[in-house]
Amino acid sequence: MIAVAVLGHGVVGSGVVEVLERSRASIGKKAGADLYVKKILDIREFPHLPYAHLFTKSFEEIVSDPEIRVVVEVMGGVTPAFDFVSAALRAGKSVVTSNKELVAAKGAALVALAREHGQNFLFEASVGGGIPIIRPLHQSLAADEIDEIVGILNGTTNFILTKMIRENMGFDAALKMAQELGYAEANPAADVEGIDTCRKICILASLAFGSHVYPDKVPTQGITSVTLEDIQYAEDENCVIKLLGHTRRLNGKCFAVTGPCLVSRESPLAGVDDVFNAILVRGEVTGDVVFYGKGAGKLPTASAVVSDIIDCVTADGPIATLQWSDSDGNNVIDSREDAVPRYLRCRGEGLFAKIGAAFGEVHLLRRPGKPADEEAFTTAPISGYELEEKLAALTAQGVEVLSTMRVWGQQ
Ligand code: HSE
């Protein structure tokens, strides 16, 4: 028998208890031992649950229990999660987490601490919910050099954008539905402002490129300013609007960026709708590999957590391929160095001439009911620096720039 403790009984924590109980026999076979939940840490009371007797408010009770081999941290946030995870690793327990904020902020330190104590710190559920991506990235693709990762990494925002595109549904109503379905963060600002996607692309970039990429190095924009007009113009470009996390090697370093993008309908990411996530990994020798599945929700995420628990109990010491070094930020270059086609929507008088003077040849877009003082267009690939110069030229002539987005996936 192997005892497991769960820190936090929210959506994912209760799902972990449910999955461990529901599939106890088959999980036991794969793990080579019966796995059971011995303690659950939560400050709330759950007297109605059949396993109410497992709850404790004392972390000390868990960390000092020699029978507990694996601690599952599903509380969210960095404090006190970081202290609890560090203490559990120092006490010789492996730790599994779904907490992307923690991994994005402290991943390098916690992976190193786990190795120092002969344990594992695993976080498959922190990116892509139920989609296997962390393990494939460091194990299955271990022989390859990763050049680029582009992903739809947040289920809540993809659900909202899908409702806006397909059903013309308002932003607030779609967000409320996503919250009711258990997809959103406790504070959904992290979803809609792109912060959750930023944390996830940081984790993937750190793992793929070997040095920690911290969130403060990643320009981040959410979907709150995406309008139905942008969606209609994107349609005219044969694109859909998706919130992407993007990281790529460039000039011997890497950059990462998060924001809404026009995604070509010809790209494998364009058809990824609702709560589904997809991650395209471009390897130097493997080429493109795409991972697709449910990116949020109680049981898909819990399933990823439980698979990590099985890895912890079957591993013979720290998993060699799972590691990266800490960094001082010099590993990351400014994403403005990346030259990509850009989408712009502007308002003003005499737009056609002003746009031509600033950008040269552009591809003008149409939408039903387009007012005479509005234009939207896509450009040839330009860097973020060039874009800033051209935007300054436009605004100096009295043009109001309503929207700018990167365009991804066009040939
Ligand atoms: N709020 C997150 C999402 C949960 O919507 O994707 C999964 O990380």
Side-chain angles (χ1 to χ4, degrees), residues 229-406:
E229 288 80 15
D230 292 321
I231 285 169
Q232 288 173 335
Y233 283 125
E235 189 67 42
D236 193 46
E237 181 74 4
N238 196 30
C239 288
V240 285
I241 295 180
K242 296 286 179 191
L243 179 62
L244 297 185
H246 184 196
T247 185
R248 189 159 74 84
R249 280 183 201 279
L250 191 60
N251 304 335
K253 299 190 177 187
C254 74
F255 73 85
V257 61
T258 292
C261 296
L262 266 67
V263 174
S264 165
R265 280 201 186 272
E266 279 156 32
S267 131
L269 299 183
V272 177
D273 284 335
D274 296 313
V275 72
F276 285 86
N277 283 190
I279 302 131
L280 183 146
V281 179
R282 187 161 287 165
E284 199 177 74
V285 292
T286 317
D288 289 0
V289 186
V290 181
F291 300 86
Y292 171 82
K294 278 198 177 154
K298 175 175 170 168
L299 294 178
T301 310
S303 161
V305 169
V306 173
S307 73
D308 272 352
I309 301 175
I310 296 171
D311 268 6
C312 286
V313 303
T314 53
D316 185 15
I319 295 168
T321 49
L322 180 55
Q323 54 179 314
W324 66 88
S325 57
D326 209 346
S327 73
D328 56 8
N330 271 326
N331 53 328
V332 181
I333 58 167
D334 197 311
S335 65
R336 287 177 293 181
E337 293 199 21
D338 189 30
V340 287
R342 314 273 170 170
Y343 159 85
L344 284 95
R345 181 162 64 89
C346 310
R347 188 186 291 141
E349 298 304 319
L351 276 178
F352 195 69
K354 291 172 183 171
I355 291 167
F359 284 90
E361 199 175 321
V362 296
H363 180 220
L364 287 174
L365 302 173
R366 297 158 303 176
R367 73 169 173 93
K370 181 183 92 58
D373 66 348
E374 180 184 90
E375 292 295 347
F377 57 95
T378 52
T379 71
I382 52 172
S383 74
Y385 300 114
E386 286 175 89
L387 176 67
E388 282 174 4
E389 274 172 30
K390 292 172 193 298
L391 290 180
L394 279 185
T395 46
Q397 294 179 81
V399 175
E400 193 185 351
V401 179
L402 303 169
S403 183
T404 68
M405 293 184 219
R406 295 158 63 93

Side-chain angles (χ1 to χ4, degrees), residues 98 100 125-129 153-158 182-186 190-191 196 200 275 277 295-297 301:
S98 62
K100 47 261 160 140
S126 66
V127 181
L153 299 169
N154 183 270
T156 300
T157 46
N158 205 37
Y183 303 150
E185 296 301 300
D191 296 297
D196 182 74
K200 291 167 176 169
V275 72
N277 283 190
T301 310

